[in-house]
Amino acid sequence: MPGRKPLLEIVGLRTQFFLHEGVVTALDGIDFTVYEKESVGIVGETGCGKSMTAFSILRLVPGPGKITAGNIFFMEPQDVRQRRMQLEIEAQEWYRRSSLVEKKKLVALYDYRDTGRKKKAKKLTPAQIDKIVPPDRVPTGVTRYYLAQNAKTMPASDKVGRAAALFSFDLLTRTDDQMRSIRGKSISMIFQDPATALDPVFTVAYQLGEVISLHQGIYDRAVLDKKIEEVLKLVRIAAPVNVMKQYPHELSGGMKQRVMIALALSCSPSLLIADEPTTALDVTIQAQILNLLRDLMRTTGSSMMLITHNLGVVAEVCDRICVMYAGRIVEEAETFELFANPRHPYTAGLLAAFPKLGERKDELSVIRGTVPNLMRPFQGCAFVERCEKATEVCGEDMPRRVEISPGHFVSCHLWTGKEGPNVR
Amino acid sequence: MSVSGDRANGSQPIVQTIGLEKLFPVKKGVFSTVVGHVHAVDGVDLSVFRGETLGLVGESGCGKTTVGRTILRLAEPTGGRIIFQGKDITEIPQSAVRGFRKRMQIVFQDPYSSLDPRMTVERIIGEGFAIHGPPKGIGDSKFIKREKIHELIEQVGLSHDHLSRLPHEFSGGQKQRIALARALALDPDFIVLDEPTSALDVSVQAQALNLLKRLQSKLGLSFLFISHDLSVIEHMSDRIAVMYLGKIVELAPTREFMGNPLHPYTKALISSIPIPDPLKRKDRRGIEGEVPSPIDPPKGCRFHPRCSVAFDKCGWEGRDLVAHLLEVAKITNPTHILSNHVVGLRSDGFAAYVDLRSGEDVDLVKRWLGAYFAERKKESSLLDAVVAIDMFLVDREVVVSCDKLSLPGTAAGSADKGKKPPRRKISARKVAQEAAMLMERVLDVDPASRVHNMILSIKPRGRHVVFKVLGPEANLDKAVAELETRLKFMKEQKNPIALAVRRVAIKRTKGPKLELAVKLGAVEEPQMDDVGNGHFVACRLYDK
Ligand SMILES: Nc1ncnc2c1ncn2[C@@H]1O[C@H](COP(=O)(O)OP(=O)(O)OP(=O)(O)O)[C@@H](O)[C@H]1O
Ligand SMILES: Nc1ncnc2c1ncn2[C@@H]1O[C@H](COP(=O)(O)OP(=O)(O)O)[C@@H](O)[C@H]1O
Ligand code: SF4
Ligand code: SF4
Ligand SMILES: [Mg+2]
Ligand SMILES: [Mg+2]
């Protein structure tokens, strides 16, 4: 999308849970970009990794979970981004040219990022290595490795400096303290379960006041109260002065969600992540909240990442949509394009399975089977067991992400090599 | 009254409810005093005909589940009748209900908690045989039972080797299939499906919905399909009923319903649904506000506080009357003859209060208001609803003072058995709160009580309970006398709260000050009216 400034760019993000029973790959190499002043929808069925995407961005992955690969570039200046992209291309080129030994080293490095444990480079054939690190998928490990390599062989210290500068916009390189100040101030989140996100023992005014004084340095009680009232009015709470004095349990689900939105927007973040903000609400209240979110995004100029399993909700609110399946983004397009031309068999199946008001059919079309277990690594396409159009190659090779028309990305073997005429 | 939903053709409903009602008591405080009721189901008439699916849609808490559970007598109705295959089963004993339950089954919303985690799938499905004996037409032998279970598991699209597994090994959609197989085991005629797919993913939901439809046509089942999702309801149902705060507000055959929704709530519900088609994107205004509490539902049409086309016949509260007196009658305008006598207006529930400048104005203002309401009552049903204009002594109260209380402890809480449990101490403040609730109840449930109509409010204040009393001075003495006899009776009954009451006294504050309380009476609720094409709607807009 030329002309638009990227706000958040995720490259090859992988998040895994290390359990006794095995490794759950919750996110398996995710790439996507959120531009300024747009709302991006993330849709997918339960367990496909929507919430994990949000938690990874905020570096709040719980428990035995870890981010094991990838980068999350946030508010990266345009020129830095261009240099980084240039480097990615060089790294890719370098990878193609590099010897087997170097590739093996890279695999070792990649394994290290994957499991957190350093492994010895095994004896691998070039084909095997290419399978582990598909050359056309630009794994970020490559860039890092290339930079490290260059720093060693060419002691031009500015290279190292440049590399550091390039990666300094990566949220994964931030200290915990830096992350704390980013959370709530630059990126804020509305959680899936509003009940757990609000503290039951403090009043609404206290919780809002805390956030505002922390991030904006307002400590004067009167000024703070005025500010709190303003924020509550912004989210269309009818009697803000009364609500301020109330405790979360005294509020209805819809009101709680409004307070959550107020909390998230109180410091005018550049990015709002809303994880299923309306799933627990009734349709009439959902409509109110969606209207509110849409209006607020328009007036504040923030970007929004809206996570939901409801295709109706994204169709109403979002400019662009990413469809997730089993920890991967399988299709990404502008909203109108996606609904008009769903290209990935999963997206098409999902759209057809959704009962639509006023379009009664005798039978809904179904996607056979169920979501796969994420404990098992997928060699090829994760949808292969449920796909009507699967061919032999689907089970063996991971489909590459291709841009079939400007801004429309699909990861499916039906579309590999079918880049749109206007693309590249 | 017409039983809504009856078809013109003579076909008999398999299940019918007439005025079905289920109230849940609301309890509060240390002694669980009943302070009110949740009107979960409040007069519901529905019929489900043989082989059809009746869809029941509404927002959470409107009473859908309770309708399903009371029909099966899993919850005891507090009013109305349930007729199953022509037989009234409202009051038959639970032992006899079991016989009927073979033919009526329910599938619950939550596939995760509705199956016993320790039982194999085979036992879960066969459970019904153990309780009710084998279904009609099959013998008692183990072999035949097994055959039947195999048939059932195939019917719901699972395979034989699933039978020996435990529920936790299955996905949500598969669990829901197992629950369905269990419900089908005894060859029921009628199944309540309570949000059967709400916990499922879209792709799995589609499989489950198709399965239900196929089984219905194959086995000739009748369904009551409950859901909050109108898109799913439309897909599944032959007729659709919309529920709001315990009442059915609209009912029609699906095609008619979608093509010609009449009730303002139905219209709002339809327009609130996000449509997965960006070309149909629109600014959905939907409805303002939130569902009111079912404990004290709005009088008149329950939807009126949120209805965008409500008019004065729909329902009212004290604040509507205050607004009328201020904006239409303009009694506080300087030119109005009452303006010198009236200080202000306020409202509380179904009463409007007129605050007077001095005690001497009472008669004048009362007479003026009385004449005004009498004259205008034909024009406005709000004014027609005024039932009484009472004097209200602002400065005089009956005060009941309470002591703190110490009760023997309950054994349940104490860890070591030998010791006597510690006594429970209850502060005077708490006692006053309890006493207020208790007295409200005592005086409220008994309309025969002489003070019923003269006590305006009962509120705790510190260690006291304060009664606001309406009417002339003599009412105060009456109230005191009444309270004393009641307390005496309760003390004899060893009611701990009554025992903690020290004295009942009249308390006076400053100079004489008076308010007039204008009380509004009950508003008639809109009833379901037949508007043709099997379409019923309960809304004043369609009054004939
Ligand atoms: N604490 C954890 N331990 C192990 N695995 C986990 C943990 N949290 C999440 N996962 C796994 O990560 C995957 C992605 O989870 P995530 O919460 O992102 O799903 P989601 O798309 O948000 O689903 P939903 O729609 O149900 O919210 C799931 O397969 C889940 O089982
Ligand atoms: N066992 C119960 N005790 C008290 N109140 C209940 C009980 N079951 C339901 N209710 C109340 O009755 C109302 C209707 O509940 P329910 O039938 O479950 O609604 P729905 O299924 O439409 O969401 C709600 O206000 C609910 O809180
Ligand atoms: S890659 Fe193959 S299995 Fe995967 S969605 Fe495309 S056609 Fe289906
Ligand atoms: S009766 Fe009809 S018009 Fe009146 S408030 Fe109810 S729904 Fe609205
Ligand atoms: Mg989630
Ligand atoms: Mg329910």
Side-chain angles (χ1 to χ4, degrees):
Chain A
M1 253 140 281
R4 282 211 277 166
K5 282 208 240 143
L7 179 68
L8 178 87
E9 182 157 10
I10 296 181
V11 184
L13 183 68
R14 176 184 302 223
T15 300
Q16 292 172 308
F17 286 89
F18 298 93
L19 309 175
H20 285 303
E21 302 83 27
V23 179
V24 175
T25 307
L27 298 181
D28 191 7
I30 285 192
D31 310 283
F32 76 94
T33 308
V34 180
Y35 293 87
E36 279 186 353
K37 297 186 183 155
E38 75 163 350
S39 57
V40 179
I42 310 267
V43 272
E45 297 180 289
T46 177
C48 69
K50 307 183 295 292
S51 300
M52 279 311 134
T53 308
F55 288 138
S56 302
I57 293 172
L58 290 169
R59 296 247 316 266
L60 289 173
V61 178
K66 263 202 207 93
I67 298 172
T68 51
N71 305 90
I72 302 169
F73 299 103
F74 180 62
M75 301 239 245
E76 187 184 35
Q78 199 72 317
D79 54 332
V80 177
R81 178 168 189 260
Q82 262 154 21
R83 267 188 285 150
R84 177 168 58 77
M85 306 267 266
Q86 187 57 39
L87 215 59
E88 294 272 351
I89 294 166
E90 273 177 40
Q92 206 176 351
E93 199 47 44
W94 167 82
Y95 178 87
R96 288 222 173 85
R97 282 190 278 107
S98 57
S99 69
L100 191 56
V101 179
E102 279 170 320
K103 276 188 186 169
K104 273 191 190 168
K105 277 191 199 156
L106 175 64
V107 171
L109 194 84
Y110 207 67
D111 277 352
Y112 177 70
R113 291 280 287 158
D114 263 10
T115 59
R117 254 173 283 116
K118 184 125 191 156
K119 271 190 204 157
K120 261 204 178 145
K122 276 177 267 162
K123 275 209 158 75
L124 296 170
T125 63
Q128 279 171 321
I129 288 182
D130 278 348
K131 194 161 229 169
I132 300 168
V133 190
D136 49 1
R137 278 186 51 94
V138 196
T140 339
V142 178
T143 326
R144 285 174 181 246
Y145 186 62
Y146 173 76
L147 286 165
Q149 200 77 9
N150 281 352
K152 230 184 279 163
T153 52
M154 298 180 277
S157 57
D158 71 308
K159 280 244 165 178
V160 184
R162 210 171 78 173
L166 289 183
F167 284 96
S168 68
F169 294 95
D170 186 348
L171 290 181
L172 301 180
T173 64
R174 296 298 158 91
T175 64
D176 287 351
D177 274 345
Q178 286 173 328
M179 272 321 284
R180 254 191 292 281
S181 82
I182 287 172
R183 272 181 229 132
K185 194 173 183 183
S186 311
I187 306 179
S188 53
M189 179 157 173
I190 302 170
F191 291 90
Q192 186 159 0
D193 184 1
T196 56
L198 290 171
D199 195 328
V201 297
F202 294 111
T203 60
V204 168
Y206 181 90
Q207 302 194 36
L208 275 167
E210 200 177 32
V211 173
I212 295 173
S213 51
L214 179 70
H215 289 303
Q216 301 186 3
I218 303 173
Y219 294 98
D220 183 76
R221 193 70 243 175
V223 180
L224 203 56
D225 278 350
K226 199 99 234 126
K227 181 94 193 160
I228 294 169
E229 199 183 323
E230 248 167 55
V231 177
L232 288 176
K233 265 198 201 131
L234 190 73
V235 294
R236 297 188 200 141
I237 283 180
V241 182
N242 294 344
V243 171
M244 275 164 72
K245 292 183 221 133
Q246 286 179 311
Y247 290 89
H249 70 90
E250 298 172 294
L251 305 174
S252 68
M255 291 277 262
K256 261 188 227 147
Q257 205 53 288
R258 279 169 207 266
V259 171
M260 279 295 305
I261 295 173
L263 208 55
L265 291 180
S266 57
C267 296
S268 334
S270 356
L271 176 65
L272 173 72
I273 303 177
D275 189 0
E276 309 260 10
T278 57
T279 304
L281 305 176
D282 275 317
V283 273
T284 60
I285 311 296
Q286 164 168 293
Q288 294 170 4
I289 298 285
L290 290 181
N291 269 335
L292 175 70
L293 278 176
R294 201 162 38 182
D295 293 354
L296 286 176
M297 288 305 116
R298 223 177 274 150
T299 51
T300 60
S302 311
S303 299
M304 174 164 67
M305 201 173 122
L306 181 75
I307 295 175
T308 173
H309 66 276
N310 188 329
L311 286 165
V313 169
V314 282
E316 293 277 339
V317 180
C318 298
D319 304 322
R320 216 148 46 80
I321 295 173
C322 298
V323 182
M324 279 189 81
Y325 187 77
R328 295 172 185 172
I329 290 179
V330 295
E331 184 159 9
E332 176 187 338
E334 301 217 337
T335 306
F336 289 92
E337 167 71 9
L338 189 88
F339 280 90
N341 303 311
R343 297 303 191 201
H344 196 282
Y346 176 65
T347 314
L350 210 56
L351 279 172
F354 204 87
K356 286 168 212 67
L357 205 64
E359 291 174 28
R360 197 178 146 128
K361 293 182 234 160
D362 279 344
E363 287 243 315
L364 289 168
S365 42
V366 302
I367 305 175
R368 65 184 160 151
T370 51
V371 198
N373 182 355
L374 298 182
M375 191 98 75
R376 217 179 34 175
F378 303 105
Q379 209 173 47
C381 172
F383 190 56
V384 63
E385 282 167 12
R386 307 178 70 188
C387 184
E388 304 281 348
K389 298 187 174 150
T391 54
E392 208 153 295
V393 63
C394 299
E396 288 164 8
D397 278 345
M398 176 119 104
R400 183 157 63 87
R401 179 176 136 108
V402 294
E403 190 168 7
I404 53 169
S405 64
H408 192 158
F409 299 90
V410 181
S411 305
C412 166
H413 284 300
L414 295 175
W415 296 90
T416 19
K418 293 192 190 159
E419 275 90 349
N422 302 325
V423 176
R424 279 193 199 116
Chain B
M1 187 183 63
S2 80
V3 174
S4 50
D6 252 330
R7 279 171 174 175
N9 67 35
S11 123
Q12 272 288 315
I14 183 159
V15 177
Q16 189 178 15
T17 69
I18 304 167
L20 188 66
E21 180 194 271
K22 174 71 185 174
L23 308 182
F24 291 103
V26 180
K27 293 177 183 163
K28 251 199 191 154
V30 189
F31 298 99
S32 306
T33 315
V34 176
V35 293
H37 287 94
V38 177
H39 295 241
V41 177
D42 202 357
V44 162
D45 304 326
L46 283 177
S47 319
V48 183
F49 293 89
R50 203 167 285 282
E52 85 160 347
T53 301
L54 176 68
L56 184 59
V57 67
E59 292 179 275
S60 81
C62 73
K64 307 179 295 295
T65 298
T66 311
V67 167
R69 290 174 51 89
T70 33
I71 287 179
L72 263 70
R73 293 275 309 271
L74 292 169
E76 291 299 339
T78 49
R81 312 229 66 86
I82 306 156
I83 293 155
F84 181 68
Q85 293 181 333
K87 188 169 174 351
D88 188 334
I89 60 161
T90 324
E91 270 152 19
I92 60 172
Q94 277 295 337
S95 56
V97 170
R98 212 170 287 153
F100 279 96
R101 211 162 287 148
K102 273 196 215 177
R103 291 188 267 149
M104 290 195 279
Q105 284 290 328
I106 186 162
V107 174
F108 295 103
Q109 169 167 7
D110 183 5
Y112 301 90
S113 63
S114 66
L115 305 175
D116 187 335
R118 288 155 308 175
M119 285 205 220
T120 61
V121 171
E122 176 155 10
R123 268 190 67 198
I124 289 171
I125 298 176
E127 205 182 358
F129 302 155
I131 301 170
H132 299 291
K136 29 188 164 161
I138 77 166
D140 203 5
S141 95
K142 265 217 167 82
F143 176 73
I144 296 176
K145 202 167 114 187
R146 233 197 142 87
E147 285 280 279
K148 175 80 186 169
I149 291 175
H150 280 191
E151 186 191 317
L152 286 164
I153 200 91
E154 273 168 28
Q155 257 175 2
V156 297
L158 295 175
S159 74
H160 297 182
D161 43 287
H162 286 132
L163 283 172
S164 55
R165 301 216 207 147
L166 294 171
H168 72 90
E169 297 172 55
F170 292 91
S171 71
Q174 287 173 319
K175 279 186 196 153
Q176 209 51 297
R177 282 163 192 256
I178 296 167
L180 190 61
R182 175 176 61 180
L184 291 172
L186 295 164
D187 287 328
D189 301 312
F190 169 68
I191 305 183
V192 175
L193 300 161
D194 187 6
E195 312 246 12
T197 61
S198 298
L200 306 182
D201 270 323
V202 180
S203 70
V204 181
Q205 165 174 289
Q207 298 169 1
L209 294 179
N210 285 347
L211 172 68
L212 284 170
K213 273 198 165 179
R214 270 203 300 277
L215 285 175
Q216 176 170 43
S217 60
K218 192 170 147 208
L219 306 174
L221 299 166
S222 312
F223 289 152
L224 175 63
F225 192 100
I226 298 173
S227 175
H228 66 273
D229 185 339
L230 193 51
S231 323
V232 171
I233 286 273
E234 185 208 1
H235 179 72
M236 291 301 292
S237 313
D238 299 304
R239 289 183 306 141
I240 300 177
V242 180
M243 197 163 177
Y244 187 77
L245 271 184
K247 272 220 161 2
I248 305 291
V249 296
E250 183 159 10
L251 184 142
T254 303
R255 190 182 295 268
E256 163 77 14
F257 183 94
M258 294 309 302
N260 182 26
L262 293 177
H263 198 281
Y265 176 62
T266 311
K267 289 182 189 167
L269 206 56
I270 291 176
S271 102
S272 293
I273 293 170
I275 297 192
D277 183 352
L279 296 172
K280 292 187 188 151
R281 192 186 277 188
K282 59 182 175 195
D283 213 19
R284 288 167 205 289
R285 278 291 137 226
I287 343 177
E288 302 278 312
E290 310 196 3
V291 184
S293 156
I295 294 174
D296 195 4
K299 294 233 170 117
C301 172
R302 282 156 200 239
F303 186 55
H304 88 260
R306 301 172 83 193
C307 181
S308 59
V309 292
F311 56 112
D312 73 344
K313 264 180 166 182
C314 298
W316 43 72
E317 281 152 62
R319 63 190 151 98
D320 299 316
L321 188 58
V322 167
H324 179 93
L325 290 175
L326 284 177
E327 284 152 29
V328 183
K330 299 200 167 88
I331 61 168
T332 50
N333 264 20
T335 50
H336 198 278
I337 58 159
L338 291 189
S339 63
N340 273 337
H341 309 281
V342 174
V343 182
L345 289 159
R346 68 189 174 88
S347 67
D348 183 12
F350 294 94
Y353 298 96
V354 185
D355 191 2
L356 301 178
R357 185 146 284 150
S358 86
E360 279 114 60
D361 300 342
V362 174
D363 281 337
L364 176 87
V365 178
K366 197 171 167 182
R367 238 180 300 123
W368 189 91
L369 285 174
Y372 179 80
F373 294 141
E375 189 184 315
R376 300 290 194 92
K377 70 181 183 191
K378 289 236 167 52
E379 295 163 30
S380 150
S381 43
L382 167 65
L383 302 183
D384 192 26
V386 172
V387 287
I389 306 174
D390 276 320
M391 204 158 53
F392 164 35
L393 301 156
V394 176
D395 60 330
R396 271 153 254 206
E397 303 157 339
V398 173
V399 176
V400 174
S401 314
C402 305
D403 260 340
K404 60 178 183 295
L405 196 60
S406 159
L407 294 173
T410 43
S414 71
D416 41 340
K417 282 171 203 140
K419 256 199 203 152
K420 240 170 77 183
R423 292 180 75 81
R424 283 201 296 163
K425 295 230 163 58
I426 300 170
S427 70
R429 243 190 143 71
K430 196 101 204 170
V431 171
Q433 284 166 13
E434 293 287 339
M437 286 191 285
L438 177 72
M439 302 199 173
E440 189 155 14
R441 166 128 198 279
V442 166
L443 298 176
D444 207 41
V445 291
D446 186 2
S449 144
R450 282 184 294 134
V451 289
H452 181 73
N453 279 325
M454 58 199 212
I455 290 182
L456 191 72
S457 73
I458 307 173
K459 296 236 164 75
R461 185 196 294 157
R463 53 191 306 161
H464 311 286
V465 185
V466 177
F467 290 72
K468 300 230 157 161
V469 180
L470 283 171
E473 198 90 357
N475 280 6
L476 289 170
D477 297 326
K478 270 194 223 156
V480 172
E482 172 83 13
L483 278 170
E484 273 172 346
T485 25
R486 291 210 173 233
L487 282 167
K488 188 158 161 255
F489 176 73
M490 283 193 282
K491 276 183 184 168
E492 279 161 13
Q493 305 262 306
K494 296 265 182 297
N495 180 316
I497 291 293
L499 287 172
V501 168
R502 215 159 7 130
R503 66 197 181 95
V504 181
I506 297 171
K507 205 174 131 226
R508 285 155 211 273
T509 50
K510 303 172 230 111
K513 189 157 181 304
L514 287 163
E515 267 187 345
L516 281 177
V518 183
K519 289 213 250 168
L520 291 170
V523 193
E524 209 184 309
E525 283 195 61
Q527 297 295 322
M528 289 286 263
D529 269 332
D530 189 349
V531 292
N533 296 334
H535 197 148
F536 296 80
V537 62
C539 168
R540 293 254 172 260
L541 289 175
Y542 307 99
D543 270 355
K544 280 176 205 143

